[in-house]
Amino acid sequence: MSSAYPYAPATTVRLTVGQAVVRFLAAQHSERDGKERRLIAGMFGIFGHGNVAGVGQALLENAVTCADDPDVAPMPYWLMRNEQGGVHAAAGFAKETRRRQTLAVTTSIGPGATNMVTGAALATTNRLPVLLLPSDQFATRYPDPVLQQLEDPRSLDVSVNDAFKPVSRSWDRINRPEQLMPSLLNAMRVLTDPAETGAVTICLPQDVQAEAYDWPVEFFDKRVWHIGRPQADPAALARAVEAIRTAQRPLLIAGGGVIYADGAQALRDFATATGIPVADTQSGKGAINFDHESSVGGVGATGNSAANCLAAQADLIIGVGTRYSDFTTASHTAFARPDVRFVNVNVQAFDAAKLSATMVVGDARDTLDALRAGLEGWRTDDGYRAEVARLRQEWDAVVEQCYHRDHSPLPAQTEVFGALNEALAERDVIINAAGSMPGDLQCLWRASSPDQYHLEYAYSTMGYEIPAALGVRLAMGPDDDRNVVTVVGDGSYQMLPMELATIAAEGLKVIVVLLQNHGFASIGALSESVGSQRFGTKYRMRNDSTGRLDGAQVPLDLAANAESWGLKVLRCNGIADFRSHLRTALDGDEAVVLYIETDLLGPNPPGSSWWDVPVAEVSALESTQAARAAYEQGKRAQRHHL
Ligand SMILES: Cc1ncc(C[n+]2csc(CCOP(=O)(O)OP(=O)(O)O)c2C)c(N)n1
Ligand SMILES: [Mg+2]
């Protein structure tokens, strides 16, 4: 069939698929509120036979030619130590840039690829953009089974990379070079869509990576992806305004969506104008400054008594940019009034619809401004605001106590957080993800800026903390003099310490606070509360007489271990020592590990909530039977909001 307009690209450039991937990614930009940045700011990688001659060769060629070739933008490359660490670093990077930028990760096939699955799930659960480029088995299938290929007799098309499908927002496999063009364009769209973003996986068969193709040059032109601010439907706004106007005891819950939308100021203005108290989730902390008269701190399972008391009696919950995890809803027990209603503001309809809410699908910042305008002249009543002020004050005294306990012989970890909270500057960053620390931090931390509190508590992945610090530091760039402090438990440390080597090799300044309590304070306490007697939650030697892991402490010197990666380690003997070494570390210009032993048994901040962890219904153990009775009692408060 002939056409009057046969398409032929004016100019083509012959590159391998690997080279095309690198050149394309280096030309992508994001734009929000008029400011442009590189979208894919660099690439982490570990090479194996799957990518060394494909994407690996392309990165080398990029590094060698970019200085002399105006058509080639540089693609910074970092060698991480574990592919999972690379994805965590990319997620940390994306979170620090509020999802305007991210990094790509290239891996070999097989184990190098599947090492990224946990990182992909973390990114998708947290709604953070990361671009994953696992290598894949041969598209031609000539040498099958290639080293590290999983063979599935039911389908020759299956590879281990199919494991990325449920943990990615977008997934593709490039079996022919031409497929790369629509695939990469779609990938950029997903990464920059605030409602859809998460892990994007493009699998690159190792033979295809090295294959050459004549690419239209316009494929590599600079492209700008506009990160939008979807505007709420006026009718939905009117419904939300009406719901708020008729509420007596409204409570706003600020989630990460407020911070990602740069909505902190809009939230503060909204709270000032309306007098509505504002509680926060793990990813929303800092959206409102802790000393704002409306700020009531963390809500839910690890929340404080002020926020939880207000949640229990609220007749309206306004959820902004929150996905309502079970920690926020206290497993659907936090909002106790039978007549409680919900208004949810979210860029994603899926989240906006939760808890049978009045949905407002839109950008958090602009919607908060629109709601404030719609509520002009309306304010919560004086009695409610006085109650909020009293609850705030009462909780503040508890924080003070937790921060200055003088617990002995070992300090409570809350004292370490007190020292950190008092020493960190407003825009320094504290990072954490798993263990008993996120709960304490959610309860206690006083954040005055939306930059300070970097918690990954959607996937709560042990091992995120150190690679995330690497990613945050890279995102800040060399001229940013803010401090990055990552808090890591001994369990998390033993799971994924190896990016300390990357931090050392890159000469980056991060401060690692390593809390040694010889076990799982978190799961130990949980185990006790569910009647499981802290079984298997301490790092102890096998005891010959009991046959269990309840012998002497495992003689592992984590401080010496940290030193062995090439970092300066300061052993802190108590809180006064910690405070002084922390000052040295903050003021210095090198990476430091602050090692401190803390009490495995707390004390932790007082709890005021519930978390649904089912207890064995039948058991020969009294501890389990008692826990089951308490569980059934707790469960009575649980409900669906319909
Ligand atoms: C990868 C991973 N495995 C298991 C868990 C379950 N888990 C949550 S906290 C925790 C223990 C963490 O120990 P540590 O880092 O020492 O912190 P601590 O509880 O002592 O504060 C475990 C096993 C997890 N969150 N992530
Ligand atoms: Mg521990």
Side-chain angles (χ1 to χ4, degrees):
M1 215 171 70
S2 71
S3 155
Y5 302 103
Y7 173 74
T11 323
T12 57
V13 51
R14 192 160 177 79
L15 299 171
T16 68
V17 166
Q19 292 157 1
V21 166
V22 171
R23 191 176 291 198
F24 174 89
L25 293 179
Q28 307 308 303
H29 293 72
S30 72
E31 176 275 330
R32 178 157 217 178
D33 301 329
K35 190 147 186 232
E36 265 181 36
R37 303 166 173 86
R38 275 280 291 265
L39 174 57
I40 310 294
M43 201 180 291
F44 273 103
I46 293 183
F47 300 132
H49 64 90
N51 59 344
V52 68
V55 174
Q57 187 281 339
L59 284 164
L60 166 70
E61 198 158 316
N62 175 277
V64 171
T65 60
C66 69
D68 302 324
D69 186 344
D71 290 339
V72 179
M75 177 58 77
Y77 170 73
W78 303 280
L79 168 62
M80 75 275 189
R81 267 55 182 180
N82 177 312
E83 292 85 353
Q84 184 180 336
V87 188
H88 291 345
F93 186 103
K95 190 168 168 72
E96 174 62 23
T97 65
R98 298 189 188 157
R99 310 196 296 200
R100 290 169 173 85
Q101 296 182 281
T102 188
L103 305 173
V105 188
T106 169
T107 76
S108 192
I109 81 163
T114 52
N115 262 358
M116 293 200 293
V117 172
T118 296
L122 180 154
T124 296
T125 311
N126 282 278
R127 319 269 164 86
L128 290 170
V130 296
L131 179 61
L132 309 183
L133 304 172
S135 297
D136 216 323
Q137 59 211 34
F138 280 70
T140 61
R141 301 185 181 162
Y142 277 122
D144 285 9
V146 66
L147 175 70
Q148 301 170 326
Q149 177 172 339
L150 174 97
E151 293 180 280
D152 186 341
R154 294 165 303 173
S155 167
L156 301 192
D157 188 47
V158 165
S159 89
V160 291
N161 287 345
D162 288 76
F164 285 96
K165 283 180 179 169
V167 293
S168 301
R169 284 282 184 218
S170 166
W171 183 99
D172 206 357
R173 180 181 282 134
I174 305 300
N175 284 313
R176 293 187 51 84
E178 303 92 309
Q179 294 174 341
L180 190 65
M181 292 180 276
S183 185
L184 280 176
L185 292 171
N186 184 54
M188 300 302 109
R189 177 191 66 77
V190 174
L191 289 172
T192 51
D193 181 335
E196 269 192 60
T197 198
V200 171
T201 302
I202 300 181
C203 310
L204 299 169
Q206 71 176 92
D207 51 347
V208 180
Q209 283 184 48
E211 203 174 324
Y213 182 76
D214 295 307
W215 308 89
V217 287
E218 57 263 36
F219 181 49
F220 304 108
D221 286 350
K222 176 182 171 182
R223 249 167 245 268
V224 181
W225 299 86
H226 303 281
I227 303 178
R229 294 191 175 276
Q231 297 299 297
D233 173 19
L237 274 174
R239 287 190 288 271
V241 166
E242 180 56 21
I244 297 170
R245 274 186 186 278
T246 51
Q248 306 299 312
R249 299 180 61 90
L251 172 69
L252 190 148
I253 297 179
V258 180
I259 293 177
Y260 295 140
D262 292 329
Q265 193 55 51
L267 176 66
R268 294 164 191 206
D269 293 346
F270 177 89
T272 304
T274 61
I276 295 176
V278 177
D280 39 47
T281 71
Q282 287 281 15
S283 59
K285 192 176 283 299
I288 192 161
N289 44 314
F290 79 96
D291 50 356
H292 189 289
E293 61 187 4
S294 279
S295 170
V296 295
V299 70
T302 54
N304 69 62
S305 57
N308 280 335
C309 174
L310 292 168
Q313 295 174 46
D315 58 355
L316 181 73
I317 301 292
I318 308 162
V320 187
T322 174
R323 51 192 284 277
Y324 284 110
S325 84
D326 65 343
F327 269 77
T328 299
T329 67
S331 306
H332 281 215
T333 61
F335 315 120
R337 263 175 73 143
D339 61 344
V340 64
R341 292 168 301 148
F342 297 83
V343 166
N344 291 341
V345 176
N346 209 294
V347 277
Q348 200 182 67
F350 177 71
D351 289 319
K354 287 176 178 173
L355 306 168
S356 306
T358 296
M359 298 166 62
V360 187
V361 179
D363 173 79
R365 186 195 74 180
D366 289 1
T367 307
L368 281 166
D369 282 343
L371 288 175
R372 178 164 56 91
L375 289 164
E376 181 128 19
W378 178 90
R379 223 167 135 64
T380 52
D381 71 39
D382 295 349
Y384 188 46
R385 289 204 306 282
E387 186 183 333
V388 169
R390 178 178 54 76
L391 288 167
R392 271 170 50 76
Q393 212 173 20
E394 283 170 12
W395 180 250
D396 200 52
V398 178
V399 175
E400 217 41 39
Q401 205 182 24
C402 292
Y403 276 179
H404 300 277
R405 271 196 187 283
D406 259 339
H407 189 63
S408 65
L410 291 173
Q413 70 183 24
T414 60
E415 297 173 70
V416 175
F417 298 143
L420 287 167
N421 210 166
E422 285 159 19
L424 260 60
E426 195 172 303
R427 296 194 58 237
D428 288 347
V429 177
I430 180 166
I431 300 170
N432 187 242
S436 57
M437 296 143 279
D440 288 9
L441 288 165
Q442 155 78 346
C443 225
L444 302 173
W445 192 265
R446 296 160 166 163
S448 36
S449 83
D451 302 297
Q452 201 180 46
Y453 190 81
H454 181 125
L455 262 279
E456 187 281 286
Y457 208 64
Y459 210 53
S460 187
T461 313
M462 290 170 74
Y464 174 76
E465 300 87 348
I466 290 170
L470 165 65
V472 170
R473 188 80 261 172
L474 290 174
M476 286 178 170
D479 303 326
D480 196 323
D481 61 2
R482 290 183 291 153
N483 270 299
V484 178
V485 179
T486 190
V487 182
V488 57
D490 54 318
S492 271
Y493 181 87
Q494 289 176 65
M495 203 170 274
L496 217 67
M498 67 288 288
E499 300 314 331
L500 287 177
T502 313
I503 288 167
E506 299 291 343
L508 298 171
K509 183 194 173 187
V510 303
I511 298 171
V512 179
V513 175
L514 173 48
L515 297 182
Q516 169 63 292
N517 57 19
H518 303 279
F520 305 162
S522 50
I523 307 301
L526 178 64
S527 168
E528 195 168 301
S529 76
V530 297
S532 297
Q533 305 177 15
R534 293 186 182 258
F535 175 72
T537 63
K538 292 177 190 161
Y539 291 118
R540 296 291 179 131
M541 304 294 286
R542 177 75 59 194
N543 182 343
D544 289 340
S545 58
T546 64
R548 296 212 211 145
L549 291 175
D550 57 8
Q553 271 175 7
V554 179
L556 175 62
D557 186 344
L558 290 187
N561 181 281
E563 227 154 29
S564 75
W565 297 101
L567 272 75
K568 178 168 159 183
V569 176
L570 299 173
R571 292 175 192 252
C572 307
N573 188 11
I575 285 297
D577 207 27
F578 178 79
R579 283 181 183 267
S580 114
H581 283 325
L582 174 62
R583 193 67 267 157
T584 308
L586 290 168
D587 295 342
D589 53 13
E590 61 183 331
V592 175
V593 177
L594 297 169
Y595 173 88
I596 182 165
E597 290 214 30
T598 52
D599 194 330
L600 180 71
L601 303 180
N604 301 89
S608 56
S609 191
W610 187 73
W611 187 33
D612 192 345
V613 178
V615 179
E617 201 167 352
V618 290
S619 168
L621 305 178
E622 267 178 37
S623 62
T624 308
Q625 291 162 8
R628 176 71 198 187
Y631 175 70
E632 283 171 11
Q633 179 70 24
K635 224 175 143 53
R636 283 195 202 138
Q638 197 173 42
R639 62 192 282 207
H640 284 296
H641 294 283
L642 301 172

